Amino acid sequence: MSASARPTLALVAERAGVAISTASLAFTANGPISEASRNRVLAAARELDYAGPNPLGRQLRSGRSGIVGVVIGDQLKRSFRDPVAVQVLDGLVSTLGAAGLGVLLIPGIPGVDADSRAVDPLIESAAMDVGVLVWGVRTDDPTLAAFERRGVPVVVGEGREVPGAPIVSIADRRGTADVVRHLTSLGHSAIAEIALPLDHTRRSGPVDAARLAQSDRTPTSNRLAGVRDVVEPVITWEPAGPLVEHGKEAAITILSGDDRPTAIVAHSDLLAAGALLAAQELGLKVPEDVSIAGFDGLDLPWLAPAVLTTVRQPLAEKGAKIGEAVVNLLAGNAPESVELDVELVVGTTTGPPREAV
Amino acid sequence: MSASARPTLALVAERAGVAISTASLAFTANGPISEASRNRVLAAARELDYAGPNPLGRQLRSGRSGIVGVVIGDQLKRSFRDPVAVQVLDGLVSTLGAAGLGVLLIPGIPGVDADSRAVDPLIESAAMDVGVLVWGVRTDDPTLAAFERRGVPVVVGEGREVPGAPIVSIADRRGTADVVRHLTSLGHSAIAEIALPLDHTRRSGPVDAARLAQSDRTPTSNRLAGVRDVVEPVITWEPAGPLVEHGKEAAITILSGDDRPTAIVAHSDLLAAGALLAAQELGLKVPEDVSIAGFDGLDLPWLAPAVLTTVRQPLAEKGAKIGEAVVNLLAGNAPESVELDVELVVGTTTGPPREAV
DNA sequence: TATGCGGATCGAATCGTTTCGATCCGAGCC
DNA sequence: GGCTCGGATCGAAACGATTCGATCCGCATA
């Protein structure tokens, strides 16, 4: 009656009348085993309702768990409301899945106090073969240190150099410069900037030089730099978050002021979409009264008939490249970093400023 | 030079001059061990750069992996663009994280052929203590069968009964009836319905009785039934997907026809938001020309100044309840199903039909 | 008939822990 | 001083598989 325990390979072997090692061969396709014994083993397995080797035993022996820990570095809710994150993750999960690897979701910094040295306990105690820091590492990142201590190799998406770890990044500085150059070449000089959040504090408002220097997120810093490669924005606004509503809020303030800029460049499409809604609400024509450009190249059909001018980045491909880097690392190859290219896509939301007409 | 192998507990014990079992006690807080030996062990660990017991060994011994497999049943990209899914997942991940459990993401049906009996290989071979089928089970679900074969207990979100598995569901049939009743009590009788997708085929168009019977997704079926508890819709439209653009597409057709309905009830807020955009594009006033209601209770600030009439369901709480059910199951308690309540929230998008004014 | 060969099978070691029962030791008590 | 008691420590046995070297068997060859 206490037969609730799952059958083991030993039981199957006994029933089939072979040694455990032979039974093992029947399940791992590659060993030398006769058709006859394989069938006997499989039959015995069926009779005992044995569903294949227990992963835990296999993992201990082989030293591999087949699991990749992915640190998304924030509350799920916040990360996944951002389509950029979702697309990258999608590419990553597909690639890893195809390689037989599973994704363990690691929220990252637990709770609000992202300053503390606390690390998600999963990083310290869950079994994994590789860790992925999708959104880059911060200086002196405790997460990175924890992985290192455990001897878990790491792949970094989008970030500063980490010795021994491959980085998959995107040419976002150049892309940002491209879109700003597009604006200046149309004749704009009073360009406002809506930045991505500079850090985890949900602060919002205009950004001064001191605050600018505090940015510890790589994509944000790169895009700030990209803008400044071409022009000094008349104002840089830091929104409370990365979503549409935050962009709208920022743009309302920017566009309501006395010296209305002739163009807004946002660090992301979601923020730009918010700016578009703001302009609409304020009765401003786009692009006649104000040009608006974004970054990401998302598909935002609900903006129709407007088509956002933006910079398309290969998001799913980025995820896929990270996945490849993981597989590569597990195969024992040397880490290899990649930078993916971006492309300016001109839509209907940018045009020459009114004065220039 | 070949010292690349990670140190083991045995090494630490040797260095500390204690038995392996004693060293083990130093890491698991609860055993009887003197302060002195614990310190000696921890010191030795530090010297050897030992980062704590290897999870694989621990897992094999205890028979627990601390991992919960969550089947999201679709491409990540599609699931996670839906804020409903994201909020539930967020609640789930938080609850499980607090219990020290990790979430293994299982896409579910690989590739497009969702009809086949194929199952995500992770379900067959990854280590996990419990499986979660977030979006319910279909009749004769191969995924469910695979879990059963492996002896992995299962928790089901939103679905039909599964013997021995707790179900966490939401009173969506009653909620849908409530919102439709709200419309009829305003005087509407010509009500159109935009349904959630009936199955995985990305079919779209008007739905007849035969097609209606084919719906194999529980939330969809429940909401279809909820509408019919109150009124027979003048038309039911099946969109190609669950997102804003799909709702817009559907509504454009519905509202362009000759017998324009006076109200549209959508199975979700995203679809309803699409309908709102459609009405706007067609120059129709909401709610004067057409009332629009949704379901979910999402926060959609970019619809402002409109506030959608909808039915609020406790999404994060649903995820949390699923998490609790998992923890409960692991504690050896009997499975316990829950049905969560919903609440009608009247916004500015519904009002009496023009004729009735 | 003896020898050699190659493929199938087997036994035993191993992966790194936890846990359980046994041992050991010092303190307290009579 | 002998005895008991209890807490700290230890050894060994799992946990469930893979893998490697050794054995075994049958067949072909000399």
Side-chain angles (χ1 to χ4, degrees):
Chain A
M1 269 304 158
S2 72
S4 69
R6 305 297 306 170
T8 83
L9 190 54
L11 237 59
V12 173
E14 188 186 13
R15 174 151 195 142
V18 300
I20 300 184
S21 47
T22 306
S24 174
L25 293 180
F27 288 99
T28 70
N30 45 9
I33 186 177
S34 69
E35 203 55 30
S37 358
R38 151 169 289 129
N39 288 338
R40 281 233 304 293
V41 172
L42 295 182
R46 217 165 306 120
E47 290 167 33
L48 291 173
D49 203 25
Y50 177 78
N54 181 328
L56 294 176
R58 185 202 291 270
Q59 288 172 15
L60 173 59
R61 181 61 236 238
S62 64
R64 285 272 173 92
S65 64
I67 286 185
V68 177
V70 176
V71 180
I72 57 179
D74 207 339
Q75 274 186 304
L76 206 61
K77 196 166 46 189
R78 234 180 285 156
S79 309
F80 284 173
R81 271 174 76 182
D82 185 347
V84 172
V86 172
Q87 288 187 49
V88 172
L89 246 356
D90 188 51
L92 176 59
V93 172
S94 312
T95 308
L96 291 180
L101 298 169
V103 167
L104 176 70
L105 228 44
I106 304 178
I109 294 91
V112 243
D113 55 338
D115 302 289
S116 86
R117 307 294 299 166
V119 163
D120 197 306
L122 285 173
I123 299 182
E124 317 237 63
S125 67
M128 47 196 157
D129 299 338
V130 183
V132 174
L133 298 161
V134 218
W135 305 128
V137 288
R138 297 175 302 160
T139 20
D140 196 22
D141 199 320
T143 302
L144 183 61
F147 276 121
E148 199 171 294
R149 258 176 63 76
R150 282 196 46 196
V152 174
V154 160
V155 174
V156 178
E158 200 62 65
R160 95 187 63 243
E161 306 255 335
V162 175
I167 305 180
V168 176
S169 57
I170 281 191
D172 47 1
R173 178 166 184 168
R174 197 179 57 60
T176 308
D178 283 353
V179 69
V180 175
R181 206 169 290 117
H182 162 68
L183 289 172
T184 56
S185 75
L186 283 170
H188 294 275
S189 55
I191 300 179
E193 174 183 33
I194 302 179
L196 278 168
L198 270 65
D199 56 24
H200 64 276
T201 64
R202 301 180 67 69
R203 210 189 286 196
S204 74
V207 172
D208 60 16
R211 175 69 182 142
L212 217 54
Q214 285 173 21
S215 166
D216 66 347
R217 299 193 171 176
T218 352
T220 307
S221 314
N222 286 344
R223 294 180 199 179
L224 288 169
V227 170
R228 283 155 188 75
D229 285 344
V230 179
V231 77
E232 184 65 31
V234 293
I235 187 174
T236 294
W237 195 274
E238 173 180 18
L243 302 182
V244 175
E245 53 260 40
H246 306 125
K248 181 171 173 185
E249 203 178 285
I252 292 267
T253 315
I254 292 174
L255 294 175
S256 306
D258 290 338
D259 306 322
R260 205 174 65 216
T262 62
I264 295 182
V265 58
H267 280 197
S268 82
D269 280 357
L270 250 34
L271 293 171
L276 217 58
L277 294 177
Q280 200 172 304
E281 194 168 310
L282 294 172
L284 296 174
K285 279 212 167 69
V286 176
E288 290 80 0
D289 295 322
V290 59
S291 283
I292 295 177
F295 191 107
D296 285 338
L298 299 184
D299 212 28
L300 299 177
W302 47 273
L303 283 183
V307 178
L308 201 58
T309 292
T310 186
V311 176
R312 178 172 304 138
Q313 51 172 333
L315 294 169
E317 189 185 339
K318 179 177 171 188
K321 288 287 181 203
I322 295 179
E324 286 170 28
V326 168
V327 172
N328 217 16
L329 219 52
L330 284 176
N333 301 331
E336 214 172 302
S337 298
V338 189
E339 186 181 69
L340 297 171
D341 208 2
V342 298
E343 178 198 8
L344 175 66
V345 179
V346 177
T348 63
T349 59
T350 49
R354 230 189 237 298
E355 298 88 336
V357 174
Chain B
M1 270 303 154
S2 71
S4 69
R6 305 296 306 169
T8 81
L9 191 53
L11 237 59
V12 173
E14 189 186 14
R15 175 149 195 145
V18 300
I20 299 182
S21 48
T22 306
S24 173
L25 293 180
F27 288 100
T28 70
N30 46 9
I33 185 177
S34 70
E35 204 54 31
S37 350
R38 149 168 292 128
N39 289 339
R40 282 233 305 292
V41 172
L42 294 182
R46 217 164 306 120
E47 289 167 31
L48 291 173
D49 203 26
Y50 176 78
N54 181 327
L56 293 175
R58 185 202 291 269
Q59 287 172 14
L60 174 60
R61 179 61 234 232
S62 65
R64 285 273 172 91
S65 64
I67 286 184
V68 177
V70 175
V71 180
I72 56 178
D74 209 340
Q75 275 186 304
L76 206 61
K77 196 166 44 188
R78 235 181 284 157
S79 307
F80 284 172
R81 271 176 76 184
D82 184 349
V84 172
V86 172
Q87 287 188 49
V88 172
L89 246 357
D90 188 50
L92 176 59
V93 172
S94 311
T95 308
L96 291 180
L101 298 169
V103 167
L104 176 70
L105 227 45
I106 304 178
I109 293 90
V112 243
D113 56 337
D115 302 287
S116 85
R117 308 293 299 166
V119 164
D120 197 306
L122 285 173
I123 299 182
E124 318 236 63
S125 67
M128 49 196 155
D129 299 338
V130 184
V132 173
L133 298 161
V134 219
W135 305 129
V137 288
R138 297 176 301 161
T139 21
D140 195 23
D141 200 318
T143 302
L144 183 61
F147 276 121
E148 200 172 295
R149 258 175 63 77
R150 280 196 47 194
V152 174
V154 161
V155 175
V156 178
E158 201 59 62
R160 92 188 66 241
E161 306 255 333
V162 174
I167 305 181
V168 177
S169 56
I170 281 191
D172 46 2
R173 178 167 182 169
R174 197 179 58 59
T176 308
D178 283 353
V179 70
V180 175
R181 207 170 289 119
H182 162 69
L183 289 173
T184 58
S185 74
L186 283 170
H188 294 274
S189 56
I191 301 178
E193 175 184 31
I194 302 179
L196 280 167
L198 269 63
D199 55 24
H200 63 276
T201 63
R202 301 179 68 68
R203 212 191 284 197
S204 76
V207 172
D208 59 17
R211 175 71 181 140
L212 217 55
Q214 287 173 19
S215 165
D216 67 346
R217 298 192 170 176
T218 353
T220 308
S221 313
N222 286 344
R223 293 180 198 179
L224 288 169
V227 170
R228 282 154 189 76
D229 285 343
V230 179
V231 78
E232 184 64 30
V234 294
I235 187 175
T236 294
W237 195 274
E238 172 178 20
L243 303 180
V244 175
E245 53 261 42
H246 306 123
K248 181 171 174 185
E249 202 179 285
I252 292 267
T253 315
I254 292 174
L255 294 174
S256 306
D258 290 339
D259 307 321
R260 204 175 66 218
T262 63
I264 295 182
V265 58
H267 280 197
S268 82
D269 280 357
L270 252 34
L271 293 171
L276 217 58
L277 295 177
Q280 200 171 303
E281 194 169 309
L282 294 172
L284 298 173
K285 278 211 167 72
V286 176
E288 290 81 359
D289 296 321
V290 59
S291 284
I292 294 177
F295 192 108
D296 285 338
L298 299 183
D299 214 27
L300 299 177
W302 47 271
L303 283 183
V307 178
L308 201 57
T309 292
T310 186
V311 176
R312 178 172 304 136
Q313 51 172 334
L315 294 171
E317 190 186 338
K318 179 177 170 187
K321 287 289 180 200
I322 295 178
E324 287 171 26
V326 167
V327 172
N328 217 16
L329 219 51
L330 285 176
N333 301 330
E336 214 173 303
S337 298
V338 189
E339 186 182 70
L340 297 171
D341 209 0
V342 299
E343 180 197 6
L344 175 67
V345 180
V346 177
T348 63
T349 59
T350 49
R354 230 190 236 298
E355 298 88 336
V357 175

